[in-house]
Amino acid sequence: MYSSRKICLPIAAILLAFAGSLAGATEPGSFGYGSVATPAQIAGWDIDVRGEDGTGLPPGKGTVDRGAEVYAEQCAACHGTFGEGEGRYPKLAGGVGSLRDERPEPTVGSYWPFAPTLWDYINRAMPMQAPHTLSADEVYALTAYILNLNDLVPNEFVADRDSLPKVKMRNRDNFVWTDPRPDTMAKPCMNDCVNAADVRISSTAEGRNLTPRTTGPLDTMQPK
């Protein structure tokens, strides 16, 4: 005579196998967390602006005068009334011609290569205590004011998606946009990779003047 326990075990095994076959027919790999982001949600995170041509700049505009008002309310406490900096907060204006000095001053006017990048940075990170709270028009106005502080645009300049990419920044032509270092040309290997003992160094970045001078110990280092 069979006990009820002996009968139930095979039935349970069959049910588990059946359930497993059903699970295999559904979408694999899901842990049941979260939900699929909607296009609108993804668009909310898509705020990047390309410096070279301003791709991604939104509609809107701002004048230098309006920027002076917004700057006084939101920025002057840290960056000074005229972008001269306060305490440990950085300067936004000045420093022109200082990049080869022992103590360079990399400001918007002396160092930045693209004006749309200034709009992107303000929109993402400023004011520091409440980033991404300014309207597009306020960011355009601040951008116009800071460019004007650096004598890059006239007083009547109006910043918008068309005018910003046309602003000629002083340091625009002094950046190297391609990376000639040989190690960055190698493709990553995940399996059957080359034997490390067979690798030979054919060139280095030494002597190519790729790394700018600093104010630290690296200044005294010489190529081997």
Side-chain angles (χ1 to χ4, degrees):
M1 181 177 182
Y2 294 103
S3 69
S4 60
R5 177 179 174 82
K6 291 181 178 178
I7 296 174
C8 289
L9 284 175
I11 294 176
I14 293 173
L15 290 175
L16 286 173
F18 180 68
S21 66
L22 288 179
T26 59
E27 293 184 8
S30 173
F31 295 95
Y33 298 130
S35 59
V36 178
T38 66
Q41 290 172 325
I42 295 174
W45 287 92
D46 185 13
I47 63 171
D48 65 298
V49 172
R50 193 160 60 191
E52 187 171 4
D53 59 9
T55 298
L57 282 170
K61 62 182 179 181
T63 65
V64 173
D65 288 343
R66 174 58 181 149
E69 297 173 354
V70 180
Y71 184 91
E73 298 170 356
Q74 304 285 351
C75 316
C78 295
H79 295 291
T81 305
F82 301 104
E84 70 274 23
E86 289 286 348
R88 61 188 177 88
Y89 295 101
K91 296 180 179 180
L92 302 179
V96 177
S98 71
L99 298 184
R100 294 182 181 275
D101 295 347
E102 289 297 323
R103 299 183 65 84
E105 292 185 349
T107 69
V108 171
S110 69
Y111 183 72
W112 289 45
F114 302 124
T117 307
L118 178 59
W119 193 100
D120 185 61
Y121 185 81
I122 296 171
N123 184 54
R124 289 174 183 273
M126 295 289 119
M128 188 174 65
Q129 71 278 10
H132 206 48
T133 58
L134 300 174
S135 69
D137 286 350
E138 289 174 323
V139 178
Y140 275 120
L142 280 175
T143 304
Y145 180 67
I146 294 171
L147 292 174
N148 181 258
L149 283 179
N150 284 281
D151 296 324
L152 289 165
V153 298
N155 294 337
E156 60 273 17
F157 178 74
V158 178
D160 58 26
R161 64 197 314 177
D162 296 321
S163 64
L164 281 185
K166 298 174 183 175
V167 176
K168 177 67 174 179
M169 304 295 278
R170 293 187 182 91
N171 203 33
R172 169 65 180 86
D173 297 328
N174 294 322
F175 278 77
V176 177
W177 300 111
T178 57
D179 191 343
R181 291 175 296 183
D183 59 332
T184 60
M185 300 176 187
K187 295 181 179 179
C189 178
M190 305 304 292
N191 52 57
D192 296 330
C193 301
V194 65
N195 187 342
D198 297 332
V199 175
R200 297 289 181 271
I201 298 175
S202 59
S203 64
T204 73
E206 285 185 341
R208 298 193 181 191
N209 197 28
L210 298 176
T211 304
R213 287 175 59 81
T214 70
T215 56
L218 289 177
D219 284 353
T220 60
M221 295 180 66
Q222 299 296 324
K224 297 178 181 178

